[in-house]
Amino acid sequence: MYIASARETGLEARPDGAGRRVAGNVFALGAVSLVTDVSSEMVTAVLPLYLVLQLGFSPLQFGILDGLYSGVTAFVRIAGGTLADRWQRRKLVAGLGYGISAVAKLGLLGVTGSATSMGLVLAADRTGKGLRTAPRDALISLSSDPGTLGRAFGVHRAMDTVGAFLGPLVAFLLLWAVTGGYQAVFFVSFCVATLGVVLLVLFVRDHREPVDRRSSVSPRAAFGLLRDRGFRRICGWAALFGLATVGDAFVYLLLQDRLSIEPAYFAVLPLGTAGIYLLLAVPLGRVADRIGRWKVFVAGHLALLAAYTLLLGAADGLWLVVASLTAHGLFYACTDGVLMAAAGPLLPAGLRTSGLAVLQTGQALAKLASSVLFGAAWTLWGMRPALYLAAGALAVVVVAALIVRPLRAERGAV
Amino acid sequence: MRFGVKVWTALGATVLLGGAATIYTLDAMAGNPTRARPDVTVAVDHSGPPDLLEPGRLLFRTTAPGPDHGKVASVALADPGGPRRISQLACDRFHTEAGTGVCLATAPGLMPSAVALRVDERLRETERVEVAGIPSRAKLSAGGRMATWTTFVTGDSYTQGTGFSTRTAILDRRDGAYLSNIEGIPLTVDGRPYQAEDVNVWGAGFTADGSRFYATVSTAGRTHLLEGDYDAWTARTLAENAECPSLSPDGRRLAIKKRVSDDAARPWREYVLDLETLRETPLAETRSVDDQVVWLDEHTVAYELPRDGGSDIWAVPADGSGAPRLLVPWGSSPSVTSRGP
């Protein structure tokens, strides 16, 4: 079983006392993510405005561009994971990803009005993001004691979210100071992204594992990991949960629809989720280490189910906003890093990047499908029936997971 | 590399990159029009502030560089290139009708938000509405009863999808009714009842009696010209690919912009649509007009076109004849007071 082999292939087993600390490499990766997220969220916050107001793109053109390149990342991710494992150069591949995205920010400065060149720049940015995610998570996983993975991912995700908080703030501050200052936003974003790359180069240590034969690392081998029962189950269930998860945008739209929230506050809603996530990522990571990551992962979906129930009418007014955003943030804190922490130890160290890439891709595709389906249901039957459907589906999956307990062995193994 | 060296290298890189970012930003800030030296070629009339009751005046937003950038100004319609009277009211969009005005302005602050003001004939605020998003369009109905405006609203990082939408609001002065977002109006597209989550409405304008309005609706990747019945609160689409309608003074024609090219740099062309026959006439302006135009009179429409550092106001005959002419250099958001006796 991979659980056994993962231990043998040198997850540095430390005495319990030392293992309680989060590895320096995780903090380094967290700092890189924080800085990089400031940069990328700056652009994310202003790009729609820039494209539509400055360049005269129609919202549809922008929607197509956006959707197209979200799809691109799914496949780049597998390729990046395989390359990182094959060369055993996770830092290099992650750095390549960070670097490409940084250069893409500079590319934004040069784009003026052509949909094709804007498409290329966005594709480069997304490719960079796709490349870096799996090697980064693999490095976190390989640098940490298997017993405290939940906490390690919690620390990383909390730092990452700080960046996501700051990015839009910096961007709008700049736009406020510089009339029509999109170029300034892009340039500052490029500087910040470059700093992220510098931090990565200086402070992140690579983690190399001896691999039997290089040829044994390939996309095929990556998917071959699914032959392992434990990993296959985690991927299958993660995808199943992903299918029953409504996209974040819909949650905020529902909230706004229920409460006729003053438009000025609409942009603040996602910050509520992010704030709770930020506060709870580390504590829940620790809980996950103690009582079992899969349990916490499932509990996170219970929180999401609670959020849907609240949205369906279980609460109203300010109470609805606070409770549903808390539940939504709790869902993220219980699932985002925790899933990677649960999956990491199931994968052989030499193929960890590939495995995490397969898991992330499956989950991402499932969420994409659910967004499309939920959007269609909303259009066909209206908001409430669509949400009933989503809540019902989620309830079924949660109950099934509680009955089947697909990863019963996980607690003992990790 | 020793850890200490790494830390110093990182600090050095931070200073270097931070410096580059600061220099770039300061340089860009110096380019802010309000900080630029006033353009001396723009003549200013210091005899008094603009007055919305004075007939024969063209109201607009001055875009000339200098401290007055963005403020509402007026010139004589008979001499639009002449000296301008400048008010202290700064707006992104301004429109006047019947001695009143509506001003849609960016509100200072970190989140993109705006404020819509109704103003009296001396441009003094009489009503204020806080609005989310970035100002795009604002219009009053003839007679001044109905005000509508549109802002762009964007979500942030956790919002997926396009992360972009429009909000169009209606403020009815007669009974004080305020609708902050009209996209929920029961809608008929191509004759069939229609419901979708991606409906966006922008660029509305009312008939003189306030009973009907015209606007743009986009959904499922198409844009339509929308005709709304305010009293019955229903709307239907009249034509495809027509945006930012502007109703002629006689109420029988709409000036619209159509998307005529995939070239994102210049996609628009201005048309006039006859409401009875739905026949479209392309106007003589062949440059890409991204504006909700106004009718100066039954025969002429005016609109803004960008220029380096600002915009100019142009006019063109509404029947497709003639040629565009420059009306007001350094201006945007034109509208006219009554023609007078």
Side-chain angles (χ1 to χ4, degrees), chain A residues 334-356:
Chain A
C334 286
T335 54
D336 193 23
V338 170
L339 179 66
M340 294 303 127
L346 299 175
L347 297 162
L351 278 173
R352 190 153 299 177
T353 327
S354 314
L356 292 182

Side-chain angles (χ1 to χ4, degrees), chain A residues 308-341:
Chain A
Y308 292 171
T309 315
L310 289 164
L311 284 169
L312 276 168
D316 213 341
L318 186 66
W319 163 239
L320 168 61
V321 179
V322 173
S324 60
L325 289 184
T326 304
H328 197 228
L330 193 63
F331 157 68
Y332 268 102
C334 286
T335 54
D336 193 23
V338 170
L339 179 66
M340 294 303 127

Side-chain angles (χ1 to χ4, degrees), chain A residues 19-20 145-153 282-293 296 338 341-342 410-411 414:
Chain A
R20 296 265 159 249
D145 184 278
T148 57
L149 266 182
R151 187 197 311 192
F153 274 101
V282 178
L284 281 168
R286 295 179 67 164
V287 171
D289 288 337
R290 199 160 305 150
I291 69 167
R293 285 155 201 152
V296 172
V338 170
E410 187 244 351
R411 184 177 168 190
V414 179

Side-chain angles (χ1 to χ4, degrees), chain B residues 200-287:
Chain B
N200 270 311
V201 177
W202 66 86
F206 270 88
T207 52
D209 61 1
S211 66
R212 271 176 302 134
F213 62 92
Y214 295 92
T216 320
V217 60
S218 95
T219 179
R222 298 191 298 165
T223 61
H224 307 264
L225 177 64
L226 169 143
E227 184 186 56
D229 185 324
Y230 181 65
D231 301 317
W233 200 243
T234 56
R236 65 190 180 113
T237 59
L238 291 183
E240 204 182 325
N241 186 18
E243 304 183 29
C244 292
S246 180
L247 195 62
S248 62
D250 64 10
R252 300 218 306 257
R253 290 161 294 162
L254 284 176
I256 50 168
K257 65 174 190 177
K258 287 172 75 79
R259 185 174 281 275
V260 293
S261 160
D262 286 334
D263 181 356
R266 34 169 310 180
W268 313 108
R269 174 90 189 253
E270 201 62 34
Y271 283 72
V272 165
L273 173 79
D274 186 301
L275 275 170
E276 201 168 316
T277 62
L278 292 185
R279 216 172 58 88
E280 289 165 346
T281 311
L283 302 191
E285 175 62 80
T286 54
R287 288 168 294 182

Side-chain angles (χ1 to χ4, degrees), chain A residues 48-85:
Chain A
L49 295 173
Y50 178 66
L51 292 181
V52 177
L53 297 184
Q54 299 285 113
L55 298 189
F57 280 48
S58 72
L60 173 73
Q61 273 178 309
F62 177 63
I64 291 171
L65 276 180
D66 203 50
L68 194 62
Y69 298 117
S70 298
V72 168
T73 52
F75 302 97
V76 173
R77 210 174 277 173
I78 302 268
T82 307
L83 282 180
D85 280 343

